[in-house]
Amino acid sequence: MVKGVIAGFHRASADTSVVACVFTAMGDKAFCTGGNTKEYSEYYSKRPNEYGLYMDLFNAMVDTILFCKKPTICRVNGMRVAG
């Protein structure tokens, strides 16, 4: 999913026919961008190098969204909570 978001925002940013980006999910399932602390505890705590690579990729996704050359709207169905 992270790689797909990066690719999509790169394409939209470079496409002259795109005037804005709308970041949303499909379907009726919940969507969470937060960390899976159980996964981090069980998997990444034993593999710090892999965690570093994952965080590099995650941070690249955030940077790609922030530096997109088009206005970006985050469209959320339902509640949005941030920490």
Side-chain angles (χ1 to χ4, degrees), residues 5-6 20 23 28 30 32 37-38 40-41 58-59 64 66 69:
V5 171
I6 292 170
F23 191 35
D28 60 355
C32 175
T37 55
K38 185 175 187 305
Y40 292 167
S41 173
F58 182 85
N59 289 330
T64 302
L66 291 174
K69 295 177 181 169

Side-chain angles (χ1 to χ4, degrees), residues 15-28:
D15 188 333
T16 57
S17 69
V18 173
V19 296
C21 297
V22 179
F23 191 35
T24 191
M26 293 176 61
D28 60 355

Side-chain angles (χ1 to χ4, degrees), residues 3-83:
K3 290 177 182 177
V5 171
I6 292 170
F9 272 91
H10 276 301
R11 281 194 308 272
S13 192
D15 188 333
T16 57
S17 69
V18 173
V19 296
C21 297
V22 179
F23 191 35
T24 191
M26 293 176 61
D28 60 355
K29 301 294 183 204
F31 175 75
C32 175
T33 61
N36 183 335
T37 55
K38 185 175 187 305
E39 177 185 2
Y40 292 167
S41 173
E42 293 174 357
Y43 184 83
Y44 286 119
S45 66
K46 298 174 186 98
R47 297 168 180 86
N49 291 336
E50 285 186 46
Y51 178 72
L53 293 172
Y54 167 74
M55 287 308 300
D56 288 346
L57 187 61
F58 182 85
N59 289 330
M61 178 185 71
V62 172
D63 289 345
T64 302
I65 295 168
L66 291 174
F67 296 117
C68 181
K69 295 177 181 169
K70 311 298 167 97
T72 300
I73 299 164
C74 181
R75 184 178 183 309
V76 178
N77 295 325
M79 184 171 60
R80 178 179 57 107
V81 179

